[in-house]
Amino acid sequence: MAESFSDIGKVEAIDQLYRLSAYHPVPGLTYTAANGGKVHTAARMFLEGIDFNLVYFPLKHLGYKCVVGTVGELYAALAHPKLLNVILGISSKLDFDHVKELWMGITVAAKEHGFEAVNLDLQPSNNGLFISLAATGETSLLTDKRRMAAKSKDLLCISGRLGAAYLGMQVLEKGRKDFEKTGQQPDMAPWRMFVGDYLRPELDAAVVSKLEDAEIYPSYGYFVTKGLGDALKRLQRDSGLGAKVYADHIPFEGNTFQLGKQLDIDPVSAAFNGGDDMRLLFTVPILHAEKFRRDFQTFDIIGHLAQPDAGTVLVTPEGVEFPVKAQGWKDESEA
């Protein structure tokens, strides 16, 4: 019987496809620049009906979000953005004014994040809007040399609250369905922070420069877009170490648990598997703990690396440890 993707898992499926070829998986294409540093690339595609719904997604916000959702991969690699290539697949339901709104959001974000040039191409699409972006950035030779190997007890640091974007999307989806039934516009005001986190996420465009100025060089960096669980699984795979995340250290928006109760969604599950948070996860050497706490107060320290035999676990306030699971990854007990 043929295996389904749900049986294999996305990560294992990609690994199997690579094993059929002469190539090996790499976390974004990287090569050496003329100045001795590294050139990094990051690419993403956003599909209507899967990644966004135009019923409630303003096109200017969508363009902005797509850039943020791509440039974060460069920041995770400690790279400064340089070039951005954009391909828009336009369906017949969008007119030129719609495309201008989308393009305005893209260019506003591109300027904010320091891209020196942006290339645009337009293609027809029979299956709704798609947005394809490829970003290029550079790390300095000094940064590459000063990144140390990860060690047990290094800090796990996240750049903002988790789970809010997923809950915001659920609020919008519920509002859409209610509107279709009643014809009345839903009241989004009580949950505007959650909706805002989903529609227009933000990243600190100066985060790499601030780390360099502070002479803090994370051993690993990940852009959290598919939930914290996915990022932790990648960290475990790449470092060969375990990780412990403490449930009471995970940052949440103030009334997250109230909204989670209304939607019947566990906020911790939303943080680990919800996706769309667009946060940066860095492993910071324990020697820089006090300096990092002082200079990077927008980050939260949620745990630390551990010995390999500890695995990657979520630790409850009572000290109970649960193995981290993530969408797209085969459960270790099934491996």
Side-chain angles (χ1 to χ4, degrees):
M1 181 182 293
E3 290 183 287
S4 68
F5 276 100
S6 59
D7 293 330
I8 303 172
K10 172 185 170 181
V11 176
E12 176 61 22
I14 292 173
D15 286 344
Q16 287 191 28
L17 292 172
Y18 267 110
R19 287 197 288 270
L20 297 173
S21 73
Y23 295 95
H24 302 283
V26 290
L29 298 176
T30 304
Y31 57 92
T32 303
N35 62 5
K38 292 283 189 353
V39 176
H40 297 262
T41 63
R44 282 197 67 181
M45 179 175 285
F46 300 84
L47 303 173
E48 183 179 354
I50 296 177
D51 298 299
F52 58 88
N53 190 328
L54 290 180
V55 169
Y56 50 72
F57 218 126
L59 285 165
K60 188 173 181 180
H61 285 358
L62 178 59
Y64 185 96
K65 178 176 180 175
C66 289
V67 174
V68 172
T70 307
V71 73
E73 296 288 354
L74 298 182
Y75 293 153
L78 302 185
H80 295 276
K82 297 296 182 182
L83 307 174
L84 181 65
N85 190 67
V86 181
I87 301 174
L88 302 180
I90 309 298
S91 67
S92 59
K93 68 181 179 182
L94 296 180
D95 59 30
F96 187 55
D97 284 340
H98 291 135
V99 177
K100 286 194 289 186
E101 280 293 304
L102 181 64
W103 176 242
M104 187 178 299
I106 290 171
T107 54
V108 166
K111 183 176 182 180
E112 182 177 307
H113 288 277
F115 284 101
E116 297 173 1
V118 181
N119 184 61
L120 173 66
D121 190 19
L122 302 177
Q123 298 286 343
S125 171
N126 291 325
N127 298 303
L129 175 65
F130 73 80
I131 304 166
S132 175
L133 298 98
T136 303
E138 294 182 5
T139 57
S140 70
L141 177 60
L142 183 61
T143 295
D144 284 332
K145 284 185 173 181
R146 290 189 173 181
R147 296 188 81 168
M148 297 184 293
K151 297 179 180 178
S152 179
K153 300 301 182 183
D154 282 356
L155 305 176
L156 299 175
C157 307
I158 196 78
S159 66
R161 54 187 177 267
L162 294 169
Y166 180 75
L167 293 174
M169 182 190 71
Q170 296 303 316
V171 168
L172 289 166
E173 277 295 310
K174 184 177 184 299
R176 176 184 65 82
K177 293 175 182 176
D178 290 346
F179 178 76
E180 289 175 353
K181 291 179 181 178
T182 67
Q184 295 182 342
Q185 290 287 351
D187 180 14
M188 299 291 179
W191 315 116
R192 61 183 180 276
M193 293 295 293
F194 297 89
V195 172
D197 270 359
Y198 174 68
L199 294 179
R200 198 180 187 279
E202 298 195 1
L203 281 175
D204 182 359
V207 64
V208 175
S209 295
K210 290 177 180 177
L211 287 166
E212 291 172 338
D213 291 344
E215 296 186 341
I216 296 175
Y217 301 94
S219 49
Y220 286 94
Y222 296 92
F223 191 36
V224 181
T225 60
K226 300 179 181 67
L228 179 61
D230 172 75
L232 292 171
K233 286 285 192 180
R234 287 186 283 155
L235 173 59
Q236 180 184 25
R237 177 194 63 191
D238 297 344
S239 69
L241 296 169
K244 293 191 176 186
V245 172
Y246 296 89
D248 54 356
H249 290 181
I250 297 173
F252 291 105
E253 181 63 40
N255 49 357
T256 292
F257 286 85
Q258 178 187 350
L259 177 56
K261 186 175 181 180
Q262 287 192 20
L263 296 172
D264 195 25
I265 296 172
D266 175 21
V268 176
S269 179
F272 272 80
N273 294 295
D276 263 317
D277 279 316
M278 298 194 180
R279 305 302 185 197
L280 291 165
L281 176 70
F282 287 125
T283 57
V284 175
I286 189 67
L287 294 174
H288 295 309
E290 292 306 316
K291 188 175 185 180
F292 189 85
R293 285 191 180 96
R294 184 184 68 245
D295 295 349
F296 294 85
Q297 296 183 19
T298 58
F299 279 75
D300 287 271
I301 298 172
I302 60 173
H304 59 81
L305 291 175
Q307 294 297 328
D309 57 4
T312 298
V313 297
L314 173 66
V315 185
T316 70
E318 296 75 29
V320 180
E321 298 183 355
F322 293 98
V324 169
K325 298 181 180 181
Q327 294 185 36
W329 294 78
K330 181 179 286 188
D331 191 339
E332 291 178 4
S333 64
E334 302 172 357

PDB file of all heavy atoms in Angstrom, residues 237-255:
ATOM      1  N   ARG A 237      17.537  18.401  15.769  1.00  0.00           N
ATOM      2  CA  ARG A 237      18.162  17.711  14.633  1.00  0.00           C
ATOM      3  C   ARG A 237      19.506  18.335  14.272  1.00  0.00           C
ATOM      4  O   ARG A 237      20.494  17.621  14.043  1.00  0.00           O
ATOM      5  CB  ARG A 237      17.224  17.773  13.427  1.00  0.00           C
ATOM      6  CG  ARG A 237      17.772  17.157  12.154  1.00  0.00           C
ATOM      7  CD  ARG A 237      16.931  17.567  10.956  1.00  0.00           C
ATOM      8  NE  ARG A 237      16.980  19.013  10.744  1.00  0.00           N
ATOM      9  CZ  ARG A 237      16.172  19.668   9.902  1.00  0.00           C
ATOM     10  NH1 ARG A 237      15.246  19.009   9.229  1.00  0.00           N
ATOM     11  NH2 ARG A 237      16.272  20.979   9.764  1.00  0.00           N
ATOM     12  N   ASP A 238      19.569  19.655  14.231  1.00  0.00           N
ATOM     13  CA  ASP A 238      20.778  20.330  13.750  1.00  0.00           C
ATOM     14  C   ASP A 238      21.896  20.344  14.784  1.00  0.00           C
ATOM     15  O   ASP A 238      23.082  20.275  14.425  1.00  0.00           O
ATOM     16  CB  ASP A 238      20.446  21.774  13.361  1.00  0.00           C
ATOM     17  CG  ASP A 238      19.459  21.856  12.202  1.00  0.00           C
ATOM     18  OD1 ASP A 238      19.265  20.843  11.501  1.00  0.00           O
ATOM     19  OD2 ASP A 238      18.855  22.939  12.015  1.00  0.00           O
ATOM     20  N   SER A 239      21.541  20.457  16.062  1.00  0.00           N
ATOM     21  CA  SER A 239      22.563  20.580  17.111  1.00  0.00           C
ATOM     22  C   SER A 239      22.969  19.241  17.702  1.00  0.00           C
ATOM     23  O   SER A 239      24.061  19.117  18.267  1.00  0.00           O
ATOM     24  CB  SER A 239      22.052  21.491  18.232  1.00  0.00           C
ATOM     25  OG  SER A 239      20.994  20.858  18.953  1.00  0.00           O
ATOM     26  N   GLY A 240      22.082  18.249  17.607  1.00  0.00           N
ATOM     27  CA  GLY A 240      22.350  16.975  18.256  1.00  0.00           C
ATOM     28  C   GLY A 240      22.120  17.012  19.755  1.00  0.00           C
ATOM     29  O   GLY A 240      22.428  16.049  20.467  1.00  0.00           O
ATOM     30  N   LEU A 241      21.562  18.118  20.258  1.00  0.00           N
ATOM     31  CA  LEU A 241      21.305  18.283  21.684  1.00  0.00           C
ATOM     32  C   LEU A 241      19.814  18.194  21.984  1.00  0.00           C
ATOM     33  O   LEU A 241      18.983  18.257  21.081  1.00  0.00           O
ATOM     34  CB  LEU A 241      21.841  19.634  22.171  1.00  0.00           C
ATOM     35  CG  LEU A 241      23.360  19.822  22.089  1.00  0.00           C
ATOM     36  CD1 LEU A 241      23.736  21.271  22.338  1.00  0.00           C
ATOM     37  CD2 LEU A 241      24.063  18.914  23.100  1.00  0.00           C
ATOM     38  N   GLY A 242      19.484  18.064  23.253  1.00  0.00           N
ATOM     39  CA  GLY A 242      18.104  18.141  23.679  1.00  0.00           C
ATOM     40  C   GLY A 242      17.749  19.580  24.043  1.00  0.00           C
ATOM     41  O   GLY A 242      18.585  20.484  23.961  1.00  0.00           O
ATOM     42  N   ALA A 243      16.511  19.800  24.442  1.00  0.00           N
ATOM     43  CA  ALA A 243      16.071  21.136  24.836  1.00  0.00           C
ATOM     44  C   ALA A 243      14.936  21.024  25.837  1.00  0.00           C
ATOM     45  O   ALA A 243      14.086  20.130  25.739  1.00  0.00           O
ATOM     46  CB  ALA A 243      15.616  21.929  23.617  1.00  0.00           C
ATOM     47  N   LYS A 244      14.932  21.926  26.810  1.00  0.00           N
ATOM     48  CA  LYS A 244      13.852  21.990  27.793  1.00  0.00           C
ATOM     49  C   LYS A 244      13.202  23.367  27.727  1.00  0.00           C
ATOM     50  O   LYS A 244      13.878  24.387  27.869  1.00  0.00           O
ATOM     51  CB  LYS A 244      14.385  21.716  29.201  1.00  0.00           C
ATOM     52  CG  LYS A 244      14.880  20.288  29.397  1.00  0.00           C
ATOM     53  CD  LYS A 244      15.158  19.976  30.856  1.00  0.00           C
ATOM     54  CE  LYS A 244      15.564  18.508  31.036  1.00  0.00           C
ATOM     55  NZ  LYS A 244      15.711  18.138  32.459  1.00  0.00           N
ATOM     56  N   VAL A 245      11.891  23.364  27.488  1.00  0.00           N
ATOM     57  CA  VAL A 245      11.106  24.595  27.460  1.00  0.00           C
ATOM     58  C   VAL A 245      10.145  24.551  28.638  1.00  0.00           C
ATOM     59  O   VAL A 245       9.470  23.537  28.867  1.00  0.00           O
ATOM     60  CB  VAL A 245      10.320  24.728  26.141  1.00  0.00           C
ATOM     61  CG1 VAL A 245       9.370  25.909  26.200  1.00  0.00           C
ATOM     62  CG2 VAL A 245      11.282  24.887  24.969  1.00  0.00           C
ATOM     63  N   TYR A 246      10.083  25.651  29.384  1.00  0.00           N
ATOM     64  CA  TYR A 246       9.260  25.702  30.591  1.00  0.00           C
ATOM     65  C   TYR A 246       7.931  26.394  30.288  1.00  0.00           C
ATOM     66  O   TYR A 246       7.910  27.546  29.828  1.00  0.00           O
ATOM     67  CB  TYR A 246      10.029  26.401  31.704  1.00  0.00           C
ATOM     68  CG  TYR A 246      11.263  25.615  32.087  1.00  0.00           C
ATOM     69  CD1 TYR A 246      12.477  25.831  31.434  1.00  0.00           C
ATOM     70  CD2 TYR A 246      11.191  24.611  33.046  1.00  0.00           C
ATOM     71  CE1 TYR A 246      13.603  25.073  31.750  1.00  0.00           C
ATOM     72  CE2 TYR A 246      12.312  23.847  33.371  1.00  0.00           C
ATOM     73  CZ  TYR A 246      13.513  24.082  32.724  1.00  0.00           C
ATOM     74  OH  TYR A 246      14.607  23.318  33.027  1.00  0.00           O
ATOM     75  N   ALA A 247       6.846  25.669  30.536  1.00  0.00           N
ATOM     76  CA  ALA A 247       5.516  26.150  30.153  1.00  0.00           C
ATOM     77  C   ALA A 247       5.212  27.514  30.749  1.00  0.00           C
ATOM     78  O   ALA A 247       4.592  28.366  30.087  1.00  0.00           O
ATOM     79  CB  ALA A 247       4.454  25.137  30.574  1.00  0.00           C
ATOM     80  N   ASP A 248       5.638  27.756  31.992  1.00  0.00           N
ATOM     81  CA  ASP A 248       5.314  29.032  32.629  1.00  0.00           C
ATOM     82  C   ASP A 248       6.237  30.160  32.190  1.00  0.00           C
ATOM     83  O   ASP A 248       6.091  31.299  32.647  1.00  0.00           O
ATOM     84  CB  ASP A 248       5.324  28.897  34.152  1.00  0.00           C
ATOM     85  CG  ASP A 248       6.621  28.308  34.694  1.00  0.00           C
ATOM     86  OD1 ASP A 248       7.501  27.921  33.876  1.00  0.00           O
ATOM     87  OD2 ASP A 248       6.767  28.227  35.924  1.00  0.00           O
ATOM     88  N   HIS A 249       7.177  29.890  31.280  1.00  0.00           N
ATOM     89  CA  HIS A 249       8.036  30.939  30.725  1.00  0.00           C
ATOM     90  C   HIS A 249       7.620  31.339  29.305  1.00  0.00           C
ATOM     91  O   HIS A 249       8.181  32.286  28.747  1.00  0.00           O
ATOM     92  CB  HIS A 249       9.499  30.487  30.704  1.00  0.00           C
ATOM     93  CG  HIS A 249      10.105  30.385  32.069  1.00  0.00           C
ATOM     94  ND1 HIS A 249      11.423  30.024  32.277  1.00  0.00           N
ATOM     95  CD2 HIS A 249       9.585  30.596  33.308  1.00  0.00           C
ATOM     96  CE1 HIS A 249      11.678  30.018  33.578  1.00  0.00           C
ATOM     97  NE2 HIS A 249      10.564  30.358  34.219  1.00  0.00           N
ATOM     98  N   ILE A 250       6.671  30.620  28.724  1.00  0.00           N
ATOM     99  CA  ILE A 250       6.229  30.941  27.367  1.00  0.00           C
ATOM    100  C   ILE A 250       5.427  32.234  27.393  1.00  0.00           C
ATOM    101  O   ILE A 250       4.477  32.364  28.174  1.00  0.00           O
ATOM    102  CB  ILE A 250       5.374  29.799  26.792  1.00  0.00           C
ATOM    103  CG1 ILE A 250       6.203  28.521  26.673  1.00  0.00           C
ATOM    104  CG2 ILE A 250       4.817  30.175  25.416  1.00  0.00           C
ATOM    105  CD1 ILE A 250       5.397  27.300  26.278  1.00  0.00           C
ATOM    106  N   PRO A 251       5.779  33.225  26.575  1.00  0.00           N
ATOM    107  CA  PRO A 251       5.055  34.503  26.604  1.00  0.00           C
ATOM    108  C   PRO A 251       3.738  34.436  25.829  1.00  0.00           C
ATOM    109  O   PRO A 251       3.698  33.965  24.694  1.00  0.00           O
ATOM    110  CB  PRO A 251       6.033  35.470  25.932  1.00  0.00           C
ATOM    111  CG  PRO A 251       6.831  34.605  24.995  1.00  0.00           C
ATOM    112  CD  PRO A 251       6.941  33.256  25.664  1.00  0.00           C
ATOM    113  N   PHE A 252       2.665  34.913  26.473  1.00  0.00           N
ATOM    114  CA  PHE A 252       1.355  34.960  25.833  1.00  0.00           C
ATOM    115  C   PHE A 252       0.790  36.376  25.926  1.00  0.00           C
ATOM    116  O   PHE A 252       1.110  37.126  26.864  1.00  0.00           O
ATOM    117  CB  PHE A 252       0.368  34.003  26.523  1.00  0.00           C
ATOM    118  CG  PHE A 252       0.680  32.540  26.332  1.00  0.00           C
ATOM    119  CD1 PHE A 252       1.237  31.791  27.357  1.00  0.00           C
ATOM    120  CD2 PHE A 252       0.412  31.923  25.122  1.00  0.00           C
ATOM    121  CE1 PHE A 252       1.525  30.448  27.184  1.00  0.00           C
ATOM    122  CE2 PHE A 252       0.690  30.570  24.940  1.00  0.00           C
ATOM    123  CZ  PHE A 252       1.251  29.833  25.964  1.00  0.00           C
ATOM    124  N   GLU A 253      -0.044  36.729  24.973  1.00  0.00           N
ATOM    125  CA  GLU A 253      -0.822  37.960  25.051  1.00  0.00           C
ATOM    126  C   GLU A 253      -1.713  37.894  26.301  1.00  0.00           C
ATOM    127  O   GLU A 253      -2.152  36.817  26.710  1.00  0.00           O
ATOM    128  CB  GLU A 253      -1.673  38.112  23.781  1.00  0.00           C
ATOM    129  CG  GLU A 253      -2.511  39.359  23.720  1.00  0.00           C
ATOM    130  CD  GLU A 253      -1.665  40.628  23.712  1.00  0.00           C
ATOM    131  OE1 GLU A 253      -0.614  40.637  23.050  1.00  0.00           O
ATOM    132  OE2 GLU A 253      -2.054  41.596  24.392  1.00  0.00           O
ATOM    133  N   GLY A 254      -1.986  39.061  26.906  1.00  0.00           N
ATOM    134  CA  GLY A 254      -2.649  39.128  28.205  1.00  0.00           C
ATOM    135  C   GLY A 254      -3.889  38.277  28.382  1.00  0.00           C
ATOM    136  O   GLY A 254      -4.033  37.568  29.374  1.00  0.00           O
ATOM    137  N   ASN A 255      -4.826  38.339  27.439  1.00  0.00           N
ATOM    138  CA  ASN A 255      -6.076  37.585  27.600  1.00  0.00           C
ATOM    139  C   ASN A 255      -6.139  36.371  26.672  1.00  0.00           C
ATOM    140  O   ASN A 255      -7.211  35.987  26.209  1.00  0.00           O
ATOM    141  CB  ASN A 255      -7.288  38.490  27.379  1.00  0.00           C
ATOM    142  CG  ASN A 255      -7.187  39.306  26.100  1.00  0.00           C
ATOM    143  OD1 ASN A 255      -6.180  39.246  25.404  1.00  0.00           O
ATOM    144  ND2 ASN A 255      -8.221  40.069  25.794  1.00  0.00           N
TER     145      ASN A 255
END
